[in-house]
Amino acid sequence: MANKQSSKMQSKNKDNTAVPSSSTTSTSKLPRLRVLSLFDGIGTGYYSLKELGFDIEVFYASEIDKDALMLTRYHFSDGITQLGSVTKITNETLDQIGPINLLFGGSPCADLSSVNYRKRGIFDPDGTGILFFDFYRIWNYLQTKSRRENRPFYWLFENVASMELKNKEYISKFFECQPYVIDSLHYSPQRRRRFFWANLPNIRQLSHAREIGLIGADEPKLEDYLEKNLDRQANVEKVGTITSKRSCLQDGKSRNPVSQDGQFTGLYITEIEAIFGLPPHFTDVGDLSIQTRQKLIGRAWSVQVIKELLKLLDNTFAKK
């Protein structure tokens, strides 16, 4: 079982506002983070901010998956305030929890990904792609409100880079900007190419244009993420995109990525956690099955990538 991290969380007063830290640092005059995370999943955004040492005043999240909610409640205790379904978040709710100075999230990608031949696209009311418009609705309200009140407001929206060009252009028109392309292979042994629409400082410099298959000598390789005590050997340096299914690594470059005791085999769930930048047994909560744990991880952000993105806020918000 994973070690509970509630000892790292901030205490709160009766009106549910985080108690200010008593520590004094060089960033103490900077504003504290007030975050809204949509489609929060297993809390990788919150985890990354805490790992980077940001001073979080409040962190609100929208998530409805019961397994994901159990996992974030176990690890983060009352550090995250859940708001329920994104479709139920109204302007009145946003006024009540405001001001928000950081909004991020990634709506479900299944109906946008090119690997799904049954994808419904972004406008089908019966699909999940249409949930993008809930992110946009909330983004538009918060940005307009922040401009009117002359408050800083940073945001990030993530989705698959394999979406059809027309859907990429639809999203770009709503945000009035083009996405940056970042692949987790530069920070982990997994190819996970994603679009990021954002206004984070200096994000352009972070966006990589290198070819997916090009591996630098200084980049992480699969060998470094395997269980060493079991004499597991990597057959490849990088694996393909790890999804919510145990059978996901079936392309020519990733099939049977590991050898053990003379046999070809797949990745252990703890190795997948490590590849995503999570601590060992992070998803080993309650009686969650291996399949459920893979589902939760496969829908999550790569922590290494999100940390690199959120580092761009180092000189903008306070740290502990």
Side-chain angles (χ1 to χ4, degrees), residues 39 106-112 128-132 157-159:
F39 316 101
S107 57
C109 65
D111 279 328
L112 298 177
T128 59
I130 200 168
L131 289 171
F132 156 73
F157 177 77
E158 173 267 354
N159 217 293

Side-chain angles (χ1 to χ4, degrees), residues 113-172:
S113 175
S114 62
V115 301
N116 180 10
Y117 70 94
R118 293 180 177 177
K119 58 184 175 294
R120 296 174 178 269
I122 200 171
F123 293 108
D124 191 324
D126 295 323
T128 59
I130 200 168
L131 289 171
F132 156 73
F133 291 102
D134 282 297
F135 186 99
Y136 171 76
R137 169 179 59 83
I138 292 169
W139 169 85
N140 188 52
Y141 184 81
L142 290 177
Q143 178 161 262
T144 301
K145 183 178 177 66
S146 297
R147 286 174 176 172
R148 185 172 62 247
E149 297 175 353
N150 195 28
R151 295 179 181 271
F153 177 66
Y154 293 91
W155 60 275
L156 178 150
F157 177 77
E158 173 267 354
N159 217 293
V160 289
S162 65
M163 67 174 64
E164 293 179 336
L165 178 61
K166 64 180 181 180
N167 288 324
K168 174 194 169 216
E169 292 306 316
Y170 287 143
I171 295 173
S172 298

